[in-house]
Amino acid sequence: MNISKSEKLFEEAKLYIPGGVNSPVRAFKSVGGNPLFISRGEKGKMIDADGNEYIDYIGSWGPHLFGHNPEFIKKALLESIEDGTSFGAPTEIEIKMAKLIVELVPSVEMVRMVNSGTEATMSAIRAARGYTGREKFIKFEGCYHGHADYFLIKAGSGALTLGVPTSPGVTKGNAADTLLADYNDINSVKELVAKNKNEIAAIIIEPIAGNMGVIKAEAEFIKELRQICDEEKIVLIFDEVMTGFRVSKGSAQEVLGIKPDLSTFGKIIGGGLPVGAFGGKKEIMEQIAPSGPIYQAGTLSGNPLAMAAGYAALSHIKDNPGIYDELEKKSLYLADGFMHNLNELGKHFAMNRIGSMMCMFFVEEDVKDFKTAIKSDIILYGKYFHEMLKRGIYLAPAQFEALFVSTVHTTEDLDKTIKAHYDSLKTIL
Ligand code: KE4
């Protein structure tokens, strides 16, 4: 039986790269089967090594708000590369990029560029610790902030809710300062704050979670979170790596109407290249080296090539704010199609959507926190994923991720996806 090019490539990749991939979720472990090797992306589509075409709803896990390789980003890159790629010295485009982020996100007064979301969140935690002189921080079960040691922590036993490492290599020492609260449960935050009075430097949250599937912070919850941080002088960090410029021009903080003290960004701000950023209140950011004592650095941070792509992406957003209405229309059309199918099939799976990020959970009850999210039937999700793939629809190879609609998904793409959704569910239920 002849094996596909993707299968051949995967076998070879596993000889040289752990698990054959450079990021675990790409290996299809959660859904079974072997990953497809992608040869190219074009608008809302990706083509694999065997020439099969898929409508792509991952968009490289969020960056491709405008689909693959949009002309205006490609043009900016080709122009920039004529002058070189990186100099390890300040360049004008870094000022333009910083000014544009400050203009688009009012809570950001100053910003530092880094090379990934992980770098952004770990730097934001260090900034908060350095600024407050405190060591502990609160994160929420189900939120993912990248792979810095002190984020790879799950709730420990007992009321103490002390973190325990989720990965070998993460030390107990690192876990000791990470406190776990429950998303959308303000009492779980109040308990931790009371038990760790004046010891908490920061609370970091995905204001719209995208890593336990999609779950929006409830209005009352996020408002009280802001109040607690004000009262306790805790730095409130919105991790907007996924939601930044995804859910609105001003990111999730504009949708929720709450200003954090620090924000982290990634994905879309790189226009498809590796870029992250953290920024916020000037009094905190001025503490970052070399203007202040809190050390933070990066060889390729703000490199002009990546800045060219990111600046092109953010400029396109600034010049075309109507894209969010367009994204809302397309995303609502898709979600309505899915909901119609579920009603036809008599299945009331939870469907959470904020703008162009959404998730269908294989559980028939509201999903508003980690505990309800993990009731989803991930085996059934795996079957659904493969049925959709067979029908040319490329979704996240894991239940607890987001589906992303782009500005270049056409009505034809959406109709094909809605039909595939119905036929796939019909097949597996
Ligand atoms: P990166 O270090 O992967 O650029 O960003 C980490 C990160 C931080 N914060 C949030 C809210 C994030 O969603 C992420 C990364 N997102 C995952 C997708 N769920 C990236 C995919 C992957 O790990 O390959």
Side-chain angles (χ1 to χ4, degrees):
M1 193 255 284
N2 60 338
I3 69 165
S4 70
K5 195 147 186 334
S6 273
E7 284 167 322
K8 258 193 231 118
L9 290 169
F10 191 41
E11 289 315 306
E12 187 181 11
K14 284 189 283 187
L15 299 175
Y16 304 100
I17 307 168
V21 290
N22 282 309
S23 198
V25 73
R26 303 178 194 168
F28 282 20
K29 281 250 177 292
S30 166
V31 292
N34 292 333
L36 298 175
F37 277 65
I38 300 301
S39 303
R40 58 193 291 275
E42 188 59 48
K43 292 188 187 295
K45 306 270 191 335
M46 286 199 296
I47 293 92
D48 73 12
D50 295 278
N52 305 305
E53 185 180 275
Y54 303 88
I55 300 173
D56 173 28
Y57 289 103
I58 296 192
S60 186
W61 299 93
H64 296 330
L65 191 69
F66 313 106
H68 290 274
N69 233 1
E71 273 313 310
F72 62 91
I73 291 182
K74 200 156 69 174
K75 180 169 171 292
L77 280 168
L78 291 172
E79 280 166 12
S80 173
I81 207 157
E82 286 302 320
D83 300 328
T85 53
S86 182
F87 313 118
T91 58
E92 186 182 354
I93 182 83
E94 291 167 83
I95 305 170
K96 292 167 73 174
M97 183 71 170
K99 278 173 76 173
L100 186 49
I101 292 173
V102 166
E103 182 186 341
L104 292 172
V105 188
S107 71
V108 177
E109 297 170 342
M110 285 191 111
V111 60
R112 167 64 58 89
M113 306 311 298
V114 294
N115 300 284
S116 71
T118 295
E119 266 195 272
T121 54
M122 60 182 251
S123 305
I125 291 290
R126 187 180 311 137
R129 285 169 159 166
Y131 174 71
T132 60
R134 301 174 181 177
E135 298 190 356
K136 293 180 178 174
F137 76 94
I138 293 175
K139 77 174 285 290
F140 293 86
E141 277 242 274
C143 285
Y144 175 71
H145 303 293
H147 64 90
D149 281 7
Y150 37 76
F151 292 133
L152 300 182
I153 308 293
K154 65 176 187 292
S157 55
L160 272 183
T161 327
L162 269 187
V164 292
T166 58
S167 161
V170 174
T171 63
K172 284 198 283 299
N174 247 310
D177 292 326
T178 304
L179 304 172
L180 271 293
D182 297 323
Y183 202 80
N184 277 330
D185 172 358
I186 201 65
N187 290 328
S188 70
V189 177
K190 287 176 178 168
E191 255 178 65
L192 287 172
V193 170
K195 283 202 182 93
N196 300 274
K197 200 81 181 144
N198 301 325
E199 293 184 80
I200 297 170
I203 296 180
I204 186 168
I205 188 166
E206 288 181 63
I208 295 172
N211 289 288
M212 48 177 149
V214 176
I215 300 176
K216 187 178 182 181
E218 286 157 7
E220 205 36 50
F221 166 74
I222 202 81
K223 197 162 122 241
E224 285 198 61
L225 201 61
R226 177 68 274 177
Q227 281 161 357
I228 291 169
C229 288
D230 290 339
E231 289 153 13
E232 302 289 335
K233 303 208 178 336
I234 294 173
V235 175
L236 179 57
I237 303 172
F238 276 7
D239 178 356
E240 298 234 39
V241 167
M242 187 184 292
T243 52
F245 311 103
R246 163 60 62 180
V247 293
S248 91
K249 186 165 71 81
S251 306
Q253 51 199 272
E254 180 179 274
V255 172
L256 297 172
I258 295 288
K259 277 191 177 184
D261 303 309
L262 292 179
S263 301
T264 57
F265 301 100
K267 298 178 193 277
I268 288 171
I269 69 163
L273 269 64
V275 175
F278 67 103
K281 281 185 173 163
K282 201 167 187 159
E283 66 191 82
I284 302 175
M285 293 304 290
E286 279 186 329
Q287 297 300 311
I288 300 292
S291 52
I294 304 169
Y295 196 68
Q296 190 281 329
T299 305
L300 290 164
S301 296
N303 74 81
L305 186 65
M307 290 297 101
Y311 186 72
L314 295 189
S315 302
H316 190 83
I317 285 169
K318 179 189 170 189
D319 300 341
N320 305 277
I323 60 163
Y324 293 101
D325 297 331
E326 196 192 326
L327 283 166
E328 178 57 26
K329 272 201 216 94
K330 288 174 190 271
S331 307
L332 180 61
Y333 183 88
L334 186 65
D336 279 352
F338 284 9
M339 287 309 279
H340 176 78
N341 290 345
L342 291 172
N343 292 335
E344 287 282 298
L345 294 162
K347 278 296 185 191
H348 305 290
F349 291 141
M351 273 280 294
N352 290 354
R353 178 179 75 82
I354 295 90
S356 61
M357 55 190 276
M358 69 177 91
C359 179
M360 180 180 78
F361 296 86
F362 280 77
V363 62
E364 293 186 276
E365 68 176 83
D366 285 353
V367 173
K368 55 183 184 358
D369 57 20
F370 183 62
K371 285 185 184 65
T372 41
I374 54 171
K375 289 181 182 174
S376 298
D377 181 339
I378 58 172
I379 305 294
L380 206 47
Y381 180 84
K383 289 179 184 164
Y384 165 68
F385 169 83
H386 283 289
E387 287 300 324
M388 290 291 269
L389 202 59
K390 267 194 261 179
R391 294 169 174 81
I393 313 299
Y394 195 95
L395 301 175
Q399 163 75 86
F400 304 115
E401 297 290 348
L403 175 158
F404 297 108
V405 179
S406 77
T407 56
V408 292
H409 280 116
T410 62
T411 308
E412 190 194 348
D413 293 336
L414 302 176
D415 286 337
K416 181 177 176 184
T417 307
I418 292 164
K419 178 160 181 359
H421 174 263
Y422 180 84
D423 295 344
S424 299
L425 290 176
K426 192 103 175 89
T427 306
I428 62 173
L429 292 174

